[in-house]
Amino acid sequence: MKSQTRVVVIGGGIAGCSTLYHLTQEGWTDVVLVERNELTSGTTWHSAAQVTNFGMNQTMVGLKSHSIELYRELASDPDYPINYHHGDGGIRLANTEAQMDGYRHFASMARGMGVEFEVIDAEECARRHPLISTDNLIGGLWDGQDGDIDPAQLCQALARRARAAGAEVYRNTPVIGLTQHRDHSWTVHTEHGDITCEIVVNACGYRVNELGAMMGVHHPVMSMEHQYLVTEEIPAIREAGHRMPLLRCPISDYYCRQEKYGLLVGFYEQNCKTWGMDGIDPHFVNALCPDDLDRTTDVLEGAFARMPALMDVGIHTVVNGPITYTIDGAPLVGPIPGKRNAFCIIGLRAGLGEGGGHGWLLAQQIVHGEACYDTWCLDPRRFAGHANVELTALKAIEDYQNEFRFHFPNEHRPAGRMAKTTPLTPVLAAEGAAFTVVNGWERAEYFKPAPDFDVTHSFRFDESFDLVAQEIKAVQSAVGLCEVNGFNRFEITGSDAEAFLDRMICGRLPRRFGRVGLAYLLNHHGMLKSEATIARLPATDLGPERFWYGSAAASELHDMDWLTQHLGSDEDVQIRSLTNDQTILVLAGPKSRDVISAVSRADWSAAAFPWLSVRECFIGIAPATVMAVSFSGELAYEIHVPNASLYAAYLALREAGEAHDLRLFGALAVESMRLEKGFLHWKADVLTEFDPFETGLNRFVHMGKPQFIGKAALETRAAQGPSKRLVTLEVGSKAAPAHGGASVMLGDAFVGTVTSGGWGHRVQKNIAYGFVSPDYADSGTELHIDLLGDRVPATVVTSPLYDPEMNLVRT
Ligand SMILES: Cc1cc2nc3c(=O)[nH]c(=O)nc-3n(C[C@H](O)[C@H](O)[C@H](O)COP(=O)(O)OP(=O)(O)OC[C@H]3O[C@@H](n4cnc5c(N)ncnc54)[C@H](O)[C@@H]3O)c2cc1C
């Protein structure tokens, strides 16, 4: 066994084997994998191992396409062939039009990744799958690439290729401890000796938190018991003369694929169970949980009704094994939050289908610092401190129960709610707030006219449309108040703070105290990493000279890691998170100056406190830091208040607002207004796949600076010209917004992808942003969007659509 290597991958299931193989493919061959038992002895060996191309965003589709290509190539290797039933085809069923809309959207989205799904009706489903009935069925989504693979052979093939490239695999070598050194390198302690390395990878499957504990972290991953049965032979299958397509059913929560000449049916029962919450037997190896088919009767009945042939056949085998889930159902693949040189590839609930792709994207991140796709949907830093074991269990159960019932836009499920609240949460609830969840925070989405008001979740405009319109009208004509909680906020101090931040951003820092600016942080490839509002505050009795760095709620751990990893050891810079201590009240609208003037003794005139100013003051008796910035495009003030004083500030503003008909507004109104103003959302429109020039952020880049992270790469990219450009589109539909991922078309040719969209109530237009080929980015270009299966006109327009001269914020 080596005592020193570059990377130690811990765990020899599909996650570890794929990572090891892809590290060698990226050129790092001095790498090892250590496995406590035999390869695949965790979950992988008993997987149903279906391999689909279906994913709910482009990164997932792209990584699954990679899996499929890789598995095809491995399966065709004459020296080590593996059983891969590729291309049996698969159907996701639907019995509501809303589900069908979802499939139409996913088909539009997948086209941008070169993947063609078909939306088919019930008769066509039955024609392609001769065993199913069409009762209570509208149709489905056809994935022609669907299939299944032998999981053990797949892992052996990956390990074999990795070994041939120079990697080493140590079986029966449990990792029993981890030590990190001052230079961020690691010693991996195993039962057979120590290995020192630069980087460790946790690929420990359901034992993820045993390894996590060795490095002092808890990963929000929970195991669930998951069962499938395999039937005896079904004569109709042999008679059909072709393999049965796979089925996935959101109506009755099962999947089904052919196994020999029988069927394998897996269940996502409502009466489901977590597994291993209080520790895992060390001897649970190559093992299964006891069968418990009684738990699955609800699902079995649905499966029998859809496939009556199941009623006439015996059960050959039942498999019940642990399967891992995370808070939002997607895996955690990437850097471990708060750690250096440590990565994970964990929480895989569809690891066979996805594992090839996850290992590929992880190896790219380890070797190059970034992957070819934006990997935020997989990033382990997307949940902050609320992601504890109890919340993870609740969300895992909910996600398991809804395995095939995809989330609708603006659908926020009930488990684990109220994880993060402010003193205003119950107050806003009493005012009728419907809440959305942002990084665990309960944030008002809109205000309901009656307690029993609810919306019908769908991909189309819903019943909240008119309510949002009214909230915006109030903001536009008078004044509105909105709580933005959880907004990420760091206080950055120290004699080197200015030089440090200047190096981190590609634009200019506010030069004077009392000023605020928007800034972008690039990675070393010159691509967009983060977006921050940076305010420069003078020394006061509240603290020394300081910068306030504000960014999206979800970016808390991501941005903290990025900033701290770039701090020089000799730099005098302190970064303190205020995220959980402060909340923003946004006061917006032409009367907002009157309201703030009534509750705060300062001079709030445009001359004394112009746009992009910041000052400390009091709102009533509440201490506050106020910024003259506006995401709505109206005259507005962002009032940052310590949570202890939040209610006091709120009461003062509400009271002063009465004279001006102040109304509360929520996140949906903000979303509509920011689209009209051309403002972007981090990780919807601001992605690591594009640089700031492609994203239309030229005014935030100052190439004249001597240095900033990503400058050299950006210069090279700028010389090459853009691959895509972000444009604003006016969409010719009153039925539905354009959802992120939808394809932008010119005739039958794919030319771009929508990043976000919605109705602009002040301009009365359906607005979308999207990245399109530069040839089609000029204003006036007539394109189409594949919107829920319809080709709707989409014209490139000049942004912003509302108050382009920015007069309102300056008045
Ligand atoms: C019944 C069932 C059906 C499924 N069907 C499908 C399907 O159809 N399609 C699909 O894509 N997915 C399916 N899955 C999920 C899929 O099997 C898993 O996502 C995948 O196998 C997880 O692989 P992994 O490598 O993350 O974990 P594992 O396979 O559990 O591998 C982790 C490895 O880490 C090792 N390890 C742990 N601790 C240590 C340590 N301290 N030192 C060294 N090594 C250690 C373990 O021994 C183990 O070998 C199914 C799962 C179940 C339970």
Side-chain angles (χ1 to χ4, degrees):
M1 196 167 90
K2 282 185 177 180
S3 60
Q4 184 143 23
T5 188
R6 200 157 191 191
V7 182
V8 175
V9 179
I10 305 165
I14 179 62
C17 292
S18 174
T19 304
L20 188 76
Y21 164 76
H22 283 99
L23 283 169
T24 65
Q25 293 296 295
E26 296 297 328
W28 283 20
T29 52
D30 179 14
V31 291
V32 307
L33 183 150
V34 285
E35 162 55 49
R36 78 198 283 276
N37 307 107
E38 291 293 339
L39 294 184
T40 78
S41 56
T43 288
T44 298
W45 70 275
H46 59 74
S47 178
Q50 299 154 101
V51 180
T52 167
N53 216 337
F54 177 83
M56 279 182 288
N57 59 52
Q58 291 198 324
T59 296
M60 292 303 286
V61 173
L63 72 87
K64 290 180 189 204
S65 294
H66 176 81
S67 288
I68 290 169
E69 276 313 305
L70 171 65
Y71 300 171
R72 284 176 68 168
E73 195 266 314
L74 291 173
S76 64
D77 183 345
D79 291 338
Y80 193 83
I82 51 181
N83 285 323
Y84 179 23
H85 300 119
H86 168 255
D88 286 353
I91 311 173
R92 273 161 210 270
L93 303 174
N95 69 342
T96 69
E97 273 305 329
Q99 288 165 341
M100 291 295 280
D101 269 351
Y103 293 155
R104 292 182 190 110
H105 170 66
F106 298 134
S108 171
M109 180 269 296
R111 184 168 315 121
M113 299 304 282
V115 173
E116 288 295 332
F117 293 138
E118 265 180 89
V119 179
I120 54 179
D121 64 20
E123 280 63 42
E124 187 58 20
C125 292
R127 201 187 64 72
R128 295 186 191 192
H129 196 308
L131 296 185
I132 67 169
S133 93
T134 56
D135 292 349
N136 188 28
L137 188 67
I138 295 185
L141 183 78
W142 174 260
D143 167 12
Q145 303 288 320
D146 227 330
D148 70 271
I149 194 160
D150 184 308
Q153 288 179 348
L154 170 63
C155 291
Q156 295 295 350
L158 289 166
R160 186 175 167 271
R161 290 267 182 109
R163 278 197 202 97
E168 297 192 5
V169 175
Y170 307 131
R171 295 172 296 128
N172 300 307
T173 306
V175 171
I176 50 174
L178 290 166
T179 307
Q180 189 159 29
H181 307 288
R182 286 173 75 87
D183 65 355
H184 309 298
S185 67
W186 294 88
T187 298
V188 178
H189 308 285
T190 81
E191 280 190 2
H192 303 313
D194 292 350
I195 311 174
T196 54
C197 60
E198 284 170 39
I199 291 168
V200 291
V201 177
N202 182 344
C204 286
Y206 51 74
R207 295 192 188 275
V208 47
N209 276 312
E210 292 178 7
L211 201 87
M214 295 179 206
M215 60 168 76
V217 297
H218 174 79
H219 297 283
V221 174
M222 180 59 54
S223 296
M224 303 290 301
E225 283 190 22
H226 174 49
Q227 296 182 89
Y228 64 74
L229 60 78
V230 181
T231 71
E232 304 283 2
E233 182 169 328
I234 297 174
I237 294 181
R238 196 181 278 278
E239 285 154 21
H242 61 82
R243 286 185 57 83
M244 291 296 116
L246 291 86
L247 281 185
R248 294 182 187 80
C249 180
I251 311 160
S252 303
D253 305 301
Y254 61 87
Y255 56 80
C256 175
R257 70 163 175 83
Q258 183 171 336
E259 175 67 20
K260 299 202 172 74
Y261 286 102
L263 290 176
L264 179 158
V265 187
F267 313 102
Y268 293 100
E269 67 282 5
Q270 295 302 300
N271 182 20
C272 55
K273 265 170 89 170
T274 59
W275 181 84
M277 250 182 106
D278 297 315
I280 300 168
D281 177 352
H283 304 293
F284 190 91
V285 176
N286 259 318
L288 292 173
C289 313
D291 305 353
D292 189 3
L293 278 187
D294 288 349
R295 233 176 41 225
T296 64
T297 5
D298 54 338
V299 187
L300 265 171
E301 280 168 12
F304 282 15
R306 182 67 62 212
M307 287 172 290
L310 284 174
M311 285 189 268
D312 305 324
V313 67
I315 293 174
H316 179 276
T317 323
V318 178
V319 167
N320 184 14
I323 184 167
T324 51
Y325 276 74
T326 64
I327 287 188
D328 62 1
L332 304 174
V333 182
I336 296 177
K339 291 282 162 193
R340 296 282 284 270
N341 293 1
F343 293 81
C344 59
I345 174 164
I346 53 177
L348 274 61
R349 70 173 188 201
L352 267 299
E354 298 172 3
H358 288 312
W360 178 54
L361 295 182
L362 182 62
Q364 289 178 40
Q365 291 182 66
I366 293 171
V367 174
H368 309 297
E370 207 77 71
C372 56
Y373 305 134
D374 191 295
T375 48
W376 181 243
C377 62
L378 306 169
D379 197 307
R381 297 165 301 192
R382 66 190 187 274
F383 315 114
H386 64 292
N388 59 37
V389 62
E390 300 300 328
L391 183 83
T392 307
L394 290 178
K395 295 307 279 183
I397 290 167
E398 183 181 64
D399 204 57
Y400 184 95
Q401 290 168 330
N402 288 281
E403 173 73 31
F404 295 131
R405 306 178 199 176
F406 50 80
H407 271 93
F408 288 101
N410 303 330
E411 180 188 4
H412 318 294
R413 290 186 176 149
R417 295 299 293 268
M418 301 295 149
K420 290 191 199 164
T421 59
T422 73
L424 280 194
T425 310
V427 178
L428 298 181
E431 293 279 359
F435 290 97
T436 173
V437 187
V438 183
N439 194 19
W441 291 95
E442 296 287 331
R443 200 179 273 180
E445 190 171 44
Y446 63 91
F447 288 82
K448 300 183 279 187
D452 59 352
F453 175 88
D454 206 357
V455 297
T456 321
H457 292 300
S458 80
F459 279 76
R460 295 175 186 259
F461 292 122
D462 63 31
E463 298 88 339
S464 66
F465 188 91
D466 290 338
L467 302 174
V468 173
Q470 287 162 23
E471 289 175 15
I472 291 171
K473 198 159 193 310
V475 172
Q476 186 184 15
S477 58
V479 58
L481 186 64
C482 173
E483 184 197 39
V484 183
N485 49 10
F487 189 74
N488 183 45
R489 192 179 299 88
F490 302 143
E491 184 173 86
I492 304 179
T493 51
S495 57
D496 296 319
E498 181 174 1
F500 166 68
L501 273 176
D502 192 52
R503 189 171 79 235
M504 296 304 296
I505 68 168
C506 63
R508 290 190 169 89
L509 281 174
R511 257 171 264 166
R512 286 182 284 121
F513 290 116
R515 299 296 290 165
V516 187
L518 190 58
Y520 288 88
L521 292 79
L522 309 186
N523 62 23
H524 295 91
H525 304 279
M527 311 301 246
L528 284 163
K529 188 83 179 164
S530 295
E531 177 192 62
T533 306
I534 298 184
R536 188 166 196 164
L537 289 154
T540 62
D541 54 354
L542 293 180
E545 288 176 10
R546 57 208 182 277
F547 290 95
W548 267 23
Y549 172 110
S551 55
S555 70
E556 186 181 346
L557 301 184
H558 174 277
D559 284 12
M560 184 59 102
D561 275 358
W562 185 250
L563 292 175
T564 51
Q565 284 171 10
H566 288 88
L567 264 181
S569 55
D570 53 352
E571 277 185 307
D572 173 26
V573 178
Q574 298 81 44
I575 306 174
R576 186 165 71 104
S577 175
L578 304 178
T579 303
N580 294 323
D581 306 329
Q582 298 257 343
T583 293
I584 302 174
L585 293 171
V586 172
L587 188 67
K591 297 290 180 194
S592 56
R593 180 172 291 125
D594 296 332
V595 174
I596 201 165
S597 299
V599 293
S600 183
R601 278 186 295 114
D603 177 357
W604 293 97
S605 66
F609 193 69
W611 187 45
L612 299 181
S613 296
V614 55
R615 66 159 54 131
E616 282 163 357
C617 62
F618 287 91
I619 299 293
I621 57 166
T625 304
V626 177
M627 299 183 198
V629 294
S630 173
F631 208 43
S632 62
E634 304 295 340
L635 177 69
Y637 301 95
E638 251 188 23
I639 304 167
H640 298 241
V641 189
N643 284 340
S645 316
L646 184 62
Y647 187 48
Y650 170 82
L651 287 178
L653 291 165
R654 292 248 27 196
E655 195 183 332
E658 264 174 38
H660 303 285
D661 289 333
L662 179 145
R663 272 193 66 161
L664 297 171
F665 66 103
L668 290 181
V670 175
E671 175 65 8
S672 165
M673 292 189 280
R674 71 102 192 170
L675 286 165
E676 293 168 315
K677 287 301 298 176
F679 296 138
L680 308 183
H681 253 322
W682 184 68
K683 292 305 175 193
D685 317 303
V686 175
L687 301 167
T688 55
E689 290 170 35
F690 300 101
D691 67 38
F693 299 134
E694 291 168 319
T695 313
L697 297 169
N698 306 43
R699 66 188 185 285
F700 299 103
V701 183
H702 179 36
M703 292 304 272
K705 274 169 64 166
Q707 57 147 338
F708 59 82
I709 290 174
K711 184 179 175 196
L714 187 61
E715 277 168 349
T716 309
R717 292 187 61 81
Q720 287 164 351
S723 63
K724 290 266 173 69
R725 275 176 53 197
L726 187 76
V727 296
T728 301
L729 298 155
E730 185 180 333
V731 184
S733 169
K734 293 199 165 164
H739 301 281
S743 285
V744 184
M745 313 288 294
L746 180 72
D748 286 334
F750 165 83
V751 296
T753 301
V754 169
T755 54
S756 53
W759 189 263
H761 288 274
R762 291 175 299 191
V763 299
Q764 288 295 306
K765 288 183 185 358
N766 195 351
I767 305 167
Y769 298 159
F771 281 99
V772 301
S773 303
D775 293 348
Y776 309 112
D778 291 338
S779 202
T781 308
E782 306 273 354
L783 301 167
H784 285 88
I785 292 178
D786 177 351
L787 186 54
L788 308 183
D790 291 331
R791 290 272 166 101
V792 302
T795 309
V796 179
V797 292
T798 305
S799 179
L801 291 165
Y802 182 71
D803 187 26
E805 307 299 329
M806 306 292 277
N807 291 324
L808 295 173
V809 293
R810 290 200 173 94
T811 48

